[in-house]
Amino acid sequence: MKIAILGKPFDDEAAPAIQALLDDLIARRAEVLIGESFRTFLDNRLRLPEGTTSFRRGDSLRGVQYVLSIGGDGTLLDTVTYVGSLQIPILGIHTGRLGFLATITPDRIAQAIDALYKGHFNIEERSLIRVDTDPDVFGSLNFGLNEFSVLKRDTSSMIVVHTYIDGEYLNSYWADGLVVATPTGSTGYSLSCGGPVMLPQTNNFIIAPVCPHNLNVRPLVVSDQSVISFEIEGRSTSYMLALDSRSLPVEASVQIAVRRENFNARLVKLNHVNFLTTLRSKLNWGLDRRNPAGIQV
């Protein structure tokens, strides 16, 4: 089996589990590829088995069966950009803070690897959002798993986001910005803007204003078959575009349209993990002392 590993620095307490992971893969005669920057971090902390090789962004991962993402949810979002249209299944190992997407804790790594080899897992297809701009802003990395945002810069005054769905005028949002989120991103930035939580299989986008100056606007759910476009105006001549964890300043003249990407992210989920249990355990969804005792949170 050919397995690629991407990750971010982790605490010393997670080091024994990561070492055991590497040793286990080599013992199973796996061909292991490690992201270049993560390998530099590991070289100074762990004993890397012989035979592991490095790769960097832009190198082809064709032929890789699985990608392991070691870190937090941000690491998994970045991993999606390495995989892209290859749609290689991604297993998220949680060494970060929340772990909503990366659900495998260090003490369950051995169980997760065994499940990969035995096929005891499910694949969740997660839709992606694609951003097209003129002139081009994000290059080949113009897709994301969570959300796309248009935001004012620093302490500048609010902006006005004129929004269109399939060419038809929707609304002009007077706000600090606007978020368009996927179902996966419904538990991220959109949630903090008052947006709804959506199940991962829902074929929709959420349009949520950031700190709106209108009392009569609320987040809106639209079909992800729609094309959503924007025109921005404000006192500033530039603003920020953000796609998951990547953000860039752009001039106000940039034309923007978002739509669903034509490929998905594929997340590996073990049989004991699903979206609803994660929602309850990570966000305390429905936590109420009146609920029946014995129901697993």
Side-chain angles (χ1 to χ4, degrees), residues 89-106:
I90 300 169
L91 176 67
I93 296 173
H94 170 51
T95 59
R97 290 173 293 190
L98 183 61
F100 197 90
L101 295 173
T103 55
I104 303 302
T105 54

Side-chain angles (χ1 to χ4, degrees), residues 145-182:
L145 178 59
N146 264 8
E147 73 271 314
F148 166 74
S149 308
V150 181
L151 303 165
K152 72 173 190 175
R153 296 189 65 184
D154 306 322
T155 57
S156 61
S157 59
M158 76 177 74
I159 58 178
V160 185
V161 186
H162 304 293
T163 305
Y164 303 81
I165 298 177
D166 294 329
E168 294 188 12
Y169 175 67
L170 169 65
N171 188 34
S172 294
Y173 294 91
W174 295 70
D176 285 355
L178 194 69
V179 176
V180 182
T182 66

